[in-house]
Amino acid sequence: MTELIEQHFYSSYLPDSANEQIRQAIQLQFPQGSDFKLGTVEFERYRTIRKGLEAIQQNRLFNDSARFKTIYLGTDSRRGLYPFTLPPSSQPTEHPDAFVRINARINSLFLQVVPGDTSVAMQQLNALQSAISPADFQLCTAKISLRPSNRKRPFDWDIRTVSFSNIVFNPAQTKALLRYDMYCGGNCGFGEILLVEKVNGNWQIKQAEQLWIS
């Protein structure tokens, strides 16, 4: 969870003052109207610079619990997960379209964990993992709480909420797939599928591919 928060949640866990400093630094580096399209050189430069700026703010935040933001854990089956369908496996990784290449990489993740029939795995990856609680996580740059159950509407995602799927392991239980949806209010949200691998007894994210974004 810490790895997700610090590397995949787009600095949303940082205090507003830290994000404002990052915004100002980015404005100095890039002129107005810069092209940040996926796959461009300018996009890669922007991502590298932003990651460096976020790392500086992250180090300042480390274990300073008074400045931690809260991320809520979604376990309500009424909301569930964003529907996911495995893309066709015939798409080439060298295709000129970036989204086609992403689909090809998603298929490669499945081949590493589920080399045979994927139907059971897909059921698990579309099923909400509800038997988890904040006590299962130890964080050093954010707080985590259960999403309040007294919300007026079960589909009201105006607070930052992350939901996880069930986990799919390979036969040796050294690699696994899982996915998550992150909702951050209004039309703000995204989801990824993760390949995690057990390294020296610890599970680490080895690859992440975007499934959707709003």
Side-chain angles (χ1 to χ4, degrees), residues 44-80:
E44 293 302 324
R45 177 171 168 259
Y46 164 81
R47 184 164 63 176
T48 299
I49 291 174
R50 186 175 182 90
K51 282 186 176 180
L53 293 169
E54 289 177 4
I56 292 171
Q57 297 294 339
Q58 182 187 110
N59 290 334
R60 293 174 180 171
L61 181 64
F62 188 77
N63 280 332
D64 186 2
S65 59
R67 301 174 64 216
F68 284 1
K69 280 191 172 181
T70 299
I71 294 174
Y72 292 91
L73 187 63
T75 57
D76 189 342
S77 59
R78 292 178 298 173
R79 181 59 176 88

Side-chain angles (χ1 to χ4, degrees), residues 34-45:
S34 295
D35 186 4
F36 294 144
K37 290 181 179 178
L38 184 66
T40 63
V41 173
E42 194 73 347
F43 175 81
E44 293 302 324
R45 177 171 168 259

Side-chain angles (χ1 to χ4, degrees), residues 22-181:
I22 291 173
R23 186 189 67 79
Q24 292 176 359
I26 289 291
Q27 284 184 333
L28 293 176
Q29 292 277 351
F30 295 91
Q32 189 174 5
S34 295
D35 186 4
F36 294 144
K37 290 181 179 178
L38 184 66
T40 63
V41 173
E42 194 73 347
F43 175 81
E44 293 302 324
R45 177 171 168 259
Y46 164 81
R47 184 164 63 176
T48 299
I49 291 174
R50 186 175 182 90
K51 282 186 176 180
L53 293 169
E54 289 177 4
I56 292 171
Q57 297 294 339
Q58 182 187 110
N59 290 334
R60 293 174 180 171
L61 181 64
F62 188 77
N63 280 332
D64 186 2
S65 59
R67 301 174 64 216
F68 284 1
K69 280 191 172 181
T70 299
I71 294 174
Y72 292 91
L73 187 63
T75 57
D76 189 342
S77 59
R78 292 178 298 173
R79 181 59 176 88
L81 294 167
Y82 196 90
F84 165 57
T85 302
L86 187 64
S89 58
S90 60
Q91 296 167 325
T93 56
E94 68 277 7
H95 196 281
D97 188 292
F99 293 102
V100 173
R101 295 198 301 270
I102 290 173
N103 287 341
R105 292 198 299 269
I106 290 172
N107 275 286
S108 75
L109 298 187
F110 273 79
L111 287 175
Q112 295 182 60
V113 179
V114 190
D117 185 3
T118 61
S119 58
V120 174
M122 286 301 302
Q123 290 177 13
Q124 293 299 309
L125 292 171
N126 277 313
L128 179 70
Q129 188 177 164
S130 57
I132 51 176
S133 72
D136 296 320
F137 303 92
Q138 293 182 339
L139 307 181
C140 54
T141 50
K143 294 182 288 188
I144 186 164
S145 298
L146 275 179
R147 189 175 189 279
S149 59
N150 60 347
R151 305 295 293 177
K152 293 182 179 179
R153 296 180 295 165
F155 306 113
D156 181 9
W157 291 97
D158 58 329
I159 56 178
R160 190 176 290 104
T161 305
V162 61
S163 301
F164 293 96
S165 73
N166 288 332
I167 304 172
V168 176
F169 293 94
N170 68 346
Q173 294 202 340
T174 56
K175 295 182 179 181
L177 294 174
L178 75 154
R179 48 174 295 226
Y180 73 89
D181 289 345

